Amino acid sequence: MAKQKLIDRVPVIHQLRQSVGFQRGMLVAGLVITGVFLLVAIIAPWISPYGYDQLSGPDGNFGAQQPPSAAHWLGTTVGGYDVLSRVIWGAQTALFVVVVSLVLSVFLGIFLGLVSGYFGGWVDRTLVVVADAIYAFPTLLLAILVAIAISGGQSGLWPGVMAAAVSIMVVFIPQYFRVVRAEVVRVKAEAFIESAKVIGASSPRIMFRHVLRNSTRTLPIIVTLNAAEAISTLAALGFLGFGIEPTAAAEWGYDLSKSISDVAAGIWWTAIPPGLAIVFAVLGITLIGESLNDLADPRLRARRRASKQTPADAVAASQPTAREELGEVQ
């Protein structure tokens, strides 16, 4: 029993047990697609047939726009790179950007939301105005401006990853700030917070031990949805030419932008693989986020309980409850 309760605390297992029908199908599909994306990104150096910037092999140069063959399963790009290798290495680049951007934005957004909601006053008003101004700004345009300011538009792997991550982070911080601030304002009005103040607990202890732990329940849903948005933003930056240089790392958006002219010439293999990689990576994470969002709806939990009722349970539920069961005495 204790082991079962411990397993139920694992987020994925808990959500799978909660889900039913189509909801469970969405969650499982999202977990499978996202798991494949993570696995490919982690083991990219071992499964990729060539390097992301490799232009030649034992038989000489690969050649540009070569059709799929035994040597190049998905052909080569206009720059002479192996398409399959670029797609595999591109998953690793996307994972780097997602992890760095989410870690930075989650911690900064939570901290600012906690301080703003707990202390209020002029600090709260100032942070709310700044967050609303950033939130109202077009997301992609803001990411482009930040990427240009940090790296001049293009750079190496880690400078490019940091530039893309910071540009995405600036967009995401207001989202976490607003969610956490709203929860903090609600939680700090609860009776147990007043009790902690009465017994002399310090403000940092109340903020981080009592308020914070009760104000972050909805963040996993936002994190999953923002992870999908981070991949889309990274691909958009690369597509517009503000991403990472092709000799520094593989990036799906950049490869997709260079294949536009190929499509008109009937060369499909340079555009479809990176495009499908973006679609499936975003789709898998989005399915998880939407499933978590639906499972957080109390009406779904009510439907789940109702679906598990036996006919005897339904009859018993329709009968008046005995006064003894309500705790009343004669």
Side-chain angles (χ1 to χ4, degrees):
M1 182 64 67
K3 184 178 181 181
Q4 184 177 0
K5 290 184 177 180
L6 183 61
I7 294 176
D8 287 341
R9 292 182 180 179
V10 179
V12 175
I13 302 298
H14 178 67
Q15 301 299 338
L16 281 174
R17 290 180 181 274
Q18 272 193 321
S19 61
V20 292
F22 182 69
Q23 235 72 42
R24 175 169 291 183
M26 285 179 54
L27 183 57
V28 171
L31 290 173
V32 170
I33 296 173
T34 304
V36 172
F37 162 68
L38 293 176
L39 182 63
V40 170
I42 293 172
I43 65 174
W46 294 278
I47 64 174
S48 177
Y50 305 101
Y52 57 81
D53 59 345
Q54 188 172 343
L55 295 173
S56 60
D59 299 329
N61 292 335
F62 294 155
Q65 300 174 323
Q66 296 297 312
S69 61
H72 306 282
W73 290 1
L74 297 179
T76 61
T77 68
V78 66
Y81 302 109
D82 180 69
V83 174
L84 178 60
S85 300
R86 296 282 297 179
V87 170
I88 293 174
W89 283 98
Q92 190 176 81
T93 305
L95 180 62
F96 286 156
V97 173
V98 169
V99 171
V100 175
S101 62
L102 289 182
V103 168
L104 294 177
S105 58
V106 166
F107 279 99
L108 287 176
I110 290 176
F111 177 75
L112 293 176
L114 182 62
V115 171
S116 177
Y118 186 81
F119 290 106
W122 66 269
V123 174
D124 180 43
R125 292 192 296 269
T126 302
L127 291 175
V128 168
V129 170
V130 173
D132 288 345
I134 296 176
Y135 196 77
F137 207 80
T139 302
L140 182 58
L141 181 57
L142 181 61
I144 292 174
L145 293 176
V146 175
I148 293 175
I150 292 176
S151 63
Q154 286 190 342
S155 58
L157 174 58
W158 284 110
V161 167
M162 290 304 299
V166 170
S167 64
I168 295 170
M169 175 199 72
V170 173
V171 177
F172 285 172
I173 285 179
Q175 300 181 28
Y176 298 107
F177 168 80
R178 295 172 71 176
V179 172
V180 172
R181 177 189 172 275
E183 287 295 313
V184 168
V185 170
R186 180 187 62 83
V187 171
K188 76 173 185 179
E190 298 289 342
F192 69 91
I193 300 297
E194 295 298 328
S195 301
K197 293 180 180 178
V198 169
I199 65 176
S202 63
S203 293
R205 180 181 177 84
I206 295 174
M207 289 172 59
F208 292 99
R209 185 175 180 82
H210 300 292
V211 177
L212 179 60
R213 65 189 301 178
N214 291 285
S215 303
T216 57
R217 297 177 182 178
T218 59
L219 288 185
I221 301 173
I222 304 175
V223 168
T224 54
L225 295 176
N226 281 351
E229 187 177 349
I231 295 177
S232 301
T233 304
L234 174 65
L237 289 174
F239 187 84
L240 296 175
F242 299 100
I244 304 169
E245 294 179 356
T247 56
E251 203 280 302
W252 294 332
Y254 176 88
D255 292 343
L256 191 60
S257 69
K258 296 302 180 183
S259 64
I260 294 177
S261 59
D262 297 344
V263 176
I267 302 175
W268 55 268
W269 56 85
T270 59
I272 291 181
L276 289 178
I278 297 171
V279 169
F280 279 110
V282 173
L283 176 63
I285 301 174
T286 302
L287 286 176
I288 295 177
E290 291 295 337
S291 300
L292 294 178
N293 188 34
D294 289 343
L295 290 173
D297 189 345
R299 293 173 297 180
L300 178 66
R301 292 195 293 270
R303 290 198 300 270
R304 179 175 177 267
R305 288 195 297 268
S307 66
K308 288 190 173 182
Q309 281 186 341
T310 63
D313 295 332
V315 172
S318 65
Q319 299 298 323
T321 305
R323 297 179 64 190
E324 289 80 9
E325 294 179 4
L326 294 175
E328 298 183 10
V329 294
Q330 297 292 340

